[in-house]
Amino acid sequence: MRLGRRRFLAGLGAGLAASTVGLPPAHGAPGGTARRLVVFFTPNGTIHRQWRPSGGETDFRFPAGSILEPLAAQRERLVILDGLDFHGVSNHEGGMAAMLTGGGGPGHVGEGASIDQFVARHIGGASPFASLELGVLTSAWGGNVQTRMSYARQGEHLPNADRPADVHRRVFGAVVEPGAADDRLARRASILDLLQDEVADLRASAPRSEHAKLDAHLDALRRAETTLTSPGVAGCALDAPTLALDPGANDAFPAVGRAQMDLLVAALACGQTRVASLQWSHTVGPVVFSWLGIAEGHHSLSHFDDANTAGVDAFVRAERWFAEQFAYLLQRLEDQPDPESGGSLLDSTLVLWAQELGDGRLHECRSVPWVLAGGPMRGGRYLQLGGAPHQQVLTSVARALGVDTESYGDPSYGTGPLAELES
Amino acid sequence: MTRHHRVLLVLLAGCQGVIGAGGPDPDERTRDDARADALGEPCAAELEVFERTVWRPLLAVRCAGCHQAEGPAASTRMVFVDEEADDALATNYRAARRAAVADADGLALLLAKPGGVHSGGHQGGALLALDSIPAADARAFVASARTETCDPPPPLDCSAPPPGSPRLRRLTPAEYDATVADLLGIPSEAGATFPADEVRHGFDNAAEALVVSSLFADQLRLAAEELAERAPIAALTECGAGCGAESFVRAFGERAFRRPLTEVEVGRYVGLAAGAPEPSEGARLVVEAMLQSPHFLYRRELGVPDGSAQVLDGWEIASQLSYLLWGTMPDQALFAAARDGTLETLAGIETETRRLLASPRAVTARRRFVTRWLGLDRLATVAKDEATYPGFDPARRAALADAALAAIDEVLAREGTLDALLTASMPGSDDRRGLLELEAVLAVHARPNDSSPIHRGLFVRERLLCQELPPPPPGLVVEPPPVDPTRTARERYAAHSSAQPCEGCHRLIDPIGFAFEGFDGVGARRSAVVDLDGAIVGSLDSDGAIRGTTELGAHLAAGDEVADCFTLQWFRWAYGADVDERSRCQLEALRERFRGAHRSVDDLLVALATAPHVRRRGGE
């Protein structure tokens, strides 16, 4: 019985411990299995010359002024992936669509879902939220192939939550006090039962063309049932974020991003989810880094030719700012104890900094700059991959999270994990 | 074989090495091409239909930019020549025919490649929805081009047009807020907490894309809880505070679901209310649940079977009229018209349509269309550089949007026509003419620190001419020119608009944008002398030289192309879907009527509200 179980767990005050229930057995990647996955996205590609570390696999360093230099303090936790290709796709939209899905479709591992959703399906079931998709100014153009990166299945992208206050209300706003929560929970449960009956009836009378829509609605209601009957968040109270600006305003970008990172780390630490993503803007994103004194939109900056030194300098400063945000996220995860293992949250969380393009000037998906951090990966490495298919990294990510698979996405471009990550 | 053709073959032979993974083997391609070329010369009738239905609307706009001798797709089998070249149309027909004759998995390359379903991919990306009208016309071309006989695709037969598709349309966030305000009598800002929906052709109400994700369901629940808490329960029904559970469920339910409840539904909600500790709490529980119910959340346009079609009932028709014309649920009088059968006749629908149109609420609803059509929804957030344009703050942005909408309202109240929207003196402005000169429109379609011939040219192409252009192809360095007040936009954008490979597409965009150069990046008039010469090329019937936006507006108003596009945009907005093969004849009928009605916007709305689509849909 739903409420009874919740009351039992809440009574124990054991929300976090209980959320390990249903975790698949650890296997796959050497060095242990990560228990959480975070995807961090920044748009519009890079300038390789300014992004690349110097040196070899283990003796690399970040040149002064280069894009990744702000990550120097976390060097030992990083695996820098240089020379990763999205085979068979190019351009903003193609890159965005293939980035986390590996170009998959029916019959492929993941069926076209993005890697975060695939992993969530395996390890997210017992958490209140299977996954959280957080965004920073991702929705001014609505949700579409350019503005979304998570897919439930082929062609079905998931929306981002762009407003920190709403994220807080959804994830941490549930009544915490055991006992006091019961009335509200009982109400919600009885309404959810009724709604599921209604949607099922409507589906029975609707033409086939509307079935997919109603199936997705039913899935959402079933998921809500899990959310509402999962262990509570006792001890995880978090103040609602306050922002001076509308979260859709250009100049709110840094504050929204910071608030979303804090919420994301808190949601992981409190066992509200095991899979979370943070998407900064979107491909072709026009954010103006006004706080750095830059006047052009980020997408325009990403097109400046090498001859335009002032333009390239502005782009590199913007990219370094993103690296600083990534460093902040890693630091927050490092500072947060893992309630399950005793180590830091970063020790048990695999973090992927994904991008959708290689050289932004060329609109190409070759040598797309990705970085892995944390979790069980052996860090402190700079890997030069010479055109390895990104499906292999997605496969490695799945395996690092304990999902035993030999491929991810479209296998015609490559199967198996990235060998370098297996050692 | 023409001389040109032989040259092309040599070129192709020399380029076989660059055909990427997934391309056909060279022998197969040569055989395919030979088979296509052996079909001989197209007849005049085939050429005429090709130009009108495939070349101009599709190939010239979306394909020829790359598929030309100096373009990134020069090594493919489909290479077009400039329209000015000798015998260009026949040459381009033959080039398209090669892609029509070759097929992959049973689908012509001409469709498979841009349709994004070819196993070898398409360098230019997915550019063609396979269920769209351009794809349907391309399919007809393929069938005709594959034979030697002179058999052009037949003209569209609208003697017995099929009904459109039945649909469930989830409320948009704006519709949700407006509906809640009418239903509960309290304001709602909950719509802003819902995740952003997909935007298609600029509109956020495409039925197919309005789905309930996990995030949406959670936000909807939180909104319902909060609104139910605040709802004035006693004021929601005629029976007031003394309402029994069943009476409350029936009375409130009929307004929430926009139709009477079935007995099963009444039983469900009475049962839900019975679980509450006291009666008033039961009513609140019912409100909370109904605000999440699929019957509240989806606008039902399904109908009941009548032979092979579906006939929509008065309640479904009432909701269509009220959401189209008022953007919210039906009022008491419209519900009464649904109940007493008035809406089952065309005359009854027209009477109610005119009543709704006469209300100020129709102006509010029309603003939502205008906002989306002109892209003004982005004005609040579009990035502007504070150093270049100081003071362009949220208050200024809101004021500009309101001024633009008020000006459009006034022009429509006074003159009522699309032509006036494009050419009339705009009230409240410094003698600006037409919507192209509205500050809000100019500011949205510009760079953060400069004007932008590209953004403005694309705006005219996509929103006024309904021609959607492909994104820049991969592999090109595409850099916007730096801001430089000493040079005109034409000089700065010369690389785009006059040199290959950018010229292939940017000739369609930039020259339109140059006409806007009298206004800066936030729509203010420039004081300096600027070069305002522009041109429209590659349109259906709007080609010509223009100088400045006043002339551009007058030029666009003179032809039928913008009127036809405006009808299509309203069609998409009104019916929550792009036109497809089933609804194509209805669009053509609306276009004919709009042109004949001196392009009166109100007449177009009456036509949309009384079209067959509102009363009948196709079965499965």
Side-chain angles (χ1 to χ4, degrees), chain B residues 68-389:
Chain B
Q68 42 138 327
E70 291 173 75
S75 65
T76 65
R77 74 184 76 209
M78 187 173 83
V79 178
F80 297 120
V81 298
D82 190 278
E83 282 185 321
E84 304 295 311
D86 289 346
D87 208 22
L89 190 62
T91 307
N92 290 335
Y93 183 100
R94 288 188 298 265
R97 185 169 63 187
R98 289 181 163 199
V101 165
D103 69 24
D105 303 325
L107 189 62
L109 284 193
L110 190 68
L111 288 146
K113 282 278 186 179
V117 297
H118 190 272
S119 59
H122 180 236
Q123 272 290 310
L127 306 175
L128 180 67
L130 289 174
D131 58 357
S132 65
I133 293 302
D137 284 341
R139 216 170 272 123
F141 165 72
V142 166
S144 153
R146 283 181 173 189
T147 64
E148 264 181 271
T149 46
C150 177
D151 56 351
L156 188 62
D157 176 10
C158 287
S159 54
S165 303
R167 275 185 199 113
L168 290 170
R169 303 172 65 177
R170 206 210 70 210
L171 298 180
T172 66
E175 288 168 347
Y176 176 92
D177 282 343
T179 304
V180 163
D182 287 342
L183 183 64
L184 302 182
I186 54 175
S188 162
E189 292 176 0
T193 69
F194 299 163
D197 294 302
E198 187 161 328
V199 173
R200 296 187 180 180
H201 308 289
F203 300 119
D204 64 347
N205 71 344
E208 198 181 53
L210 291 170
V211 293
V212 177
S213 59
S214 206
L215 175 57
F216 186 95
D218 285 357
Q219 296 302 113
L220 181 71
R221 188 189 72 240
L222 292 166
E225 288 174 3
E226 193 259 330
L227 288 163
E229 197 87 11
R230 285 202 285 132
I233 297 293
L236 296 180
T237 55
E238 304 244 319
C239 53
C243 220
E246 185 178 334
S247 314
F248 182 85
V249 165
R250 284 187 195 277
F252 181 73
E254 182 168 309
R255 296 181 63 237
F257 290 5
R258 304 176 289 275
R259 60 165 174 78
L261 270 60
T262 65
E263 290 311 309
V264 170
E265 288 165 344
V266 171
R268 256 180 206 157
Y269 280 92
V270 169
L272 180 73
E278 48 188 296
S280 75
E281 281 312 294
R284 218 171 276 285
L285 197 55
V286 168
V287 171
E288 184 177 323
M290 285 191 176
L291 288 178
Q292 300 174 67
S293 167
H295 305 299
F296 164 78
L297 192 61
Y298 295 107
R299 297 161 51 188
R300 183 190 165 94
E301 299 178 3
L302 301 181
V304 292
D306 173 44
S308 63
Q310 300 282 117
V311 176
L312 275 64
D313 67 26
W315 304 96
E316 290 175 305
I317 293 171
S319 279
Q320 287 186 82
L321 299 187
S322 68
Y323 281 98
L324 167 60
L325 300 165
W326 281 8
T328 186
M329 62 181 280
D331 66 352
Q332 288 299 345
L334 195 52
F335 274 142
R339 198 176 296 111
D340 69 16
T342 301
L343 296 178
E344 279 154 36
T345 67
L346 197 53
I349 293 175
E350 183 158 347
T351 304
E352 281 302 305
T353 298
R354 294 196 184 277
R355 178 179 73 82
L356 297 180
L357 266 181
S359 157
R361 303 193 77 174
V363 175
T364 312
R366 193 180 60 206
R367 279 186 168 206
R368 286 201 206 127
F369 166 82
V370 171
T371 298
R372 284 274 158 192
W373 175 46
L374 300 180
L376 301 184
D377 51 291
R378 304 211 323 252
L379 184 59
T381 54
V382 69
K384 292 295 167 195
D385 174 39
E386 172 68 21
T388 314
Y389 301 120

Side-chain angles (χ1 to χ4, degrees), chain A residues 91 188 201 213 296 305 362, chain B residues 168 225 268 447 472 475:
Chain A
N91 225 331
R188 285 171 165 169
D201 285 358
K213 195 186 284 180
E296 288 275 3
D305 186 67
L362 296 173
Chain B
L168 290 170
E225 288 174 3
R268 256 180 206 157
R447 284 163 61 181

Side-chain angles (χ1 to χ4, degrees), chain A residues 391-409:
Chain A
Q391 283 87 358
Q392 292 186 333
V393 177
L394 298 177
T395 306
S396 293
V397 167
R399 291 162 67 105
L401 270 298
V403 188
D404 198 7
T405 179
E406 281 307 312
S407 70
Y408 196 79

Side-chain angles (χ1 to χ4, degrees), chain B residues 316-480:
Chain B
E316 290 175 305
I317 293 171
S319 279
Q320 287 186 82
L321 299 187
S322 68
Y323 281 98
L324 167 60
L325 300 165
W326 281 8
T328 186
M329 62 181 280
D331 66 352
Q332 288 299 345
L334 195 52
F335 274 142
R339 198 176 296 111
D340 69 16
T342 301
L343 296 178
E344 279 154 36
T345 67
L346 197 53
I349 293 175
E350 183 158 347
T351 304
E352 281 302 305
T353 298
R354 294 196 184 277
R355 178 179 73 82
L356 297 180
L357 266 181
S359 157
R361 303 193 77 174
V363 175
T364 312
R366 193 180 60 206
R367 279 186 168 206
R368 286 201 206 127
F369 166 82
V370 171
T371 298
R372 284 274 158 192
W373 175 46
L374 300 180
L376 301 184
D377 51 291
R378 304 211 323 252
L379 184 59
T381 54
V382 69
K384 292 295 167 195
D385 174 39
E386 172 68 21
T388 314
Y389 301 120
F392 204 73
D393 56 15
R396 173 90 183 125
R397 293 161 186 253
L400 282 189
D402 198 61
L405 293 168
I408 287 171
D409 289 346
E410 199 177 322
V411 167
L412 286 179
R414 207 173 54 211
E415 303 185 50
T417 64
L418 172 64
D419 297 22
L421 280 184
L422 290 165
T423 58
S425 170
M426 298 315 266
S429 72
D430 49 345
D431 191 31
R432 293 175 184 236
R433 302 193 80 85
L435 58 86
L436 297 178
E437 297 186 354
L438 290 170
E439 279 179 275
V441 172
L442 294 158
V444 164
H445 304 285
R447 284 163 61 181
N449 57 350
D450 197 7
S451 64
S452 172
I454 298 179
H455 286 83
R456 290 166 178 176
L458 273 176
F459 162 68
V460 171
R461 277 278 166 200
E462 296 189 344
R463 301 296 168 89
L464 300 184
L465 298 172
C466 290
Q467 295 178 331
E468 293 184 9
L469 301 179
L476 303 178
V477 174
V478 282
E479 174 176 345

